[in-house]
Amino acid sequence: MTSHLGGNAAACCNHDPKVEAASQYEPLSTVCIDLAKAALQPRRFRQLTNWLERPKLFCATIMKKLAPGSSIERLLMAAGVLTVLFTNPVADAEDFGFATVETLGEALFFDSNLSANRTLSCTWCHAPSRAFIDQLQPAEGQAVPLDPDGKPIGVRNSPTAMYAGFAPKFGKTPDGNWVGGLFMDGRAATLEEQAGGPLLNPQEMAMPSKAAVVDRLKENRDYVGAFDKLYGKGTLDTPDSGFEALTKAIAAYERTPTFAPFDSRYDRFLRGEVTLSEQEEHGRSLFFTSQSTHCSQCHMLRKISGEAKEIFTNFSFHNIGVPPNKQLRASDGSPSPPDIGLQANDRTPKDAELKGKFKTPTLRNVAVTAPYMHNGVFKKLRTAILFHNKYNSKQPEQQINPETGQVWDTPEAEGTLSLKELKSRPALADHEIDALVAFLITLTDRRYGPLLK
């Protein structure tokens, strides 16, 4: 990448003798970077640090090459160079890290200027540090994301955005069952359509129209240059073409390995890199053995158990009898109607048989994406498994919700339960439930291991 200083800027950051000679200035470069950070907008400073492998060393190199003068003079001049470098207009999208639609999509994903009050970005409900769920979860009693004022955003739990790129387009299978799409009710047919949904949702980013979103994009000349380069000159001239390109860019970012690393302990086990404990192996056997559990009926996409890159959902829709989250429903001080799920999807008929059905979620990173179910009614993973087990157990203690100490509440939507799937297997003993929990923990991607408790 050619910089405004001439030559290859990235070369200043290599670990070679020519660059190491600048090391005497590296202590001062910390101050230099701080000065540049104060002068630049946050997004541009992120671009600087992404662009340069070692920005401090780059700054030190600049100071070494500047005319003789005091350390302070050199420092201020170096900071000025960085500031000018990252505030001048550019002719090439690559100069600011937008060489691909994926890198452009990443910037858009993090950009809070795309919300009405300029405070929310996609990361508000899908934080990278939290396996792309709500960054405030799982606070005590919190089931859904909260807006900056602390009010609930809707009545649904934030699903992880990880592995969402594998969802098939919403539609019907050959046997007539609905499958795929995005959001828990499948109302977005594709990942691109989903990417645009929150921008215009009055409960989320609350932009009034596609035109308003595109106007925000045009405020940023780097975006204008990037969209022209990557999607064709004049892409942002009309609301429809600009908005469509935005959704494509965000979806492209969500299809990168950042969202689907396939590096959990389970994946590494399949590659022969690690071994599972006896309990984890028992849980794996229970999960994939149809005679023991019904897990793989809905939480397996591949045809054969143990295949690489299993998504752990077949994207089908079911009503498993999830009870209402009464605490959430009462949080706004007024009763709310039941969440009817798939039945509310505009692409489906309003048949009563669809009431209360929700898309089967992936189980990847499930151990670090609490709370559980579409309404966040369960706080612990073990509770979610016990809830499934209640359909097959006759033991009185299995009919008690351990989080409330009360009998499991009645379903939010009755009459359409997937009882064939729920009641098709024997009840699990406590040690088997523990084994399933242990196995599901192995589905945690490597970067989220520290989140496990």
Side-chain angles (χ1 to χ4, degrees), residues 7-128:
N8 192 315
C12 295
C13 306
N14 293 333
H15 304 278
D16 58 44
K18 295 179 182 179
V19 175
E20 293 304 324
S23 60
Q24 60 180 307
Y25 296 100
E26 201 156 1
L28 276 177
S29 68
T30 299
V31 183
C32 170
I33 292 297
D34 288 342
L35 287 172
K37 184 175 183 180
L40 296 172
Q41 295 178 359
R43 184 182 58 78
R44 283 188 180 273
F45 185 75
R46 287 198 301 271
Q47 290 169 351
L48 184 153
T49 55
N50 287 336
W51 184 48
L52 302 174
E53 180 186 352
R54 296 180 65 188
K56 290 182 182 179
L57 187 54
F58 176 72
C59 194
T61 302
I62 293 175
M63 284 190 280
K64 180 178 183 296
K65 291 180 179 294
L66 290 173
S70 69
S71 296
I72 296 299
E73 290 172 337
R74 289 171 177 265
L75 187 154
L76 291 175
M77 289 180 69
V81 168
L82 290 181
T83 301
V84 171
L85 179 63
F86 278 84
T87 53
N88 277 350
V90 293
D92 194 325
E94 183 177 353
D95 287 345
F96 285 96
F98 299 148
T100 65
V101 293
E102 290 83 3
T103 52
L104 174 60
E106 180 179 13
L108 297 169
F109 193 88
F110 283 83
D111 196 342
S112 59
N113 285 321
L114 299 180
S115 64
N117 58 8
R118 301 180 189 266
T119 60
L120 299 181
S121 70
C122 299
T123 62
W124 188 265
C125 294
H126 301 288

Side-chain angles (χ1 to χ4, degrees), residues 404-421:
T404 65
Q406 305 294 320
V407 174
W408 299 101
D409 208 343
T410 56
E412 185 171 23
E414 298 189 78
T416 60
L417 272 64
S418 297
L419 293 176
K420 179 181 178 182
E421 291 81 1

Side-chain angles (χ1 to χ4, degrees), residues 181-263:
L182 283 299
F183 296 114
M184 294 181 179
D185 53 15
R187 67 183 183 276
T190 64
L191 189 58
E192 288 77 7
E193 187 177 337
Q194 186 279 328
L199 292 165
L200 303 178
N201 188 327
Q203 289 188 304
E204 297 184 65
M205 298 170 79
M207 292 296 284
S209 64
K210 293 181 180 179
V213 174
V214 174
D215 284 344
R216 290 287 179 88
L217 294 176
K218 290 190 288 188
E219 292 177 0
N220 186 317
R221 57 189 173 187
D222 299 337
Y223 282 164
V224 174
F227 277 97
D228 282 349
K229 175 180 173 61
L230 298 170
Y231 290 101
K233 192 169 181 60
T235 294
L236 299 184
D237 289 350
T238 66
D240 285 342
S241 63
F243 194 84
E244 180 182 4
L246 174 149
T247 62
K248 287 181 177 179
I250 294 177
Y253 170 53
E254 292 188 83
R255 291 191 176 100
T256 64
T258 296
F259 289 81
F262 290 105
D263 64 355

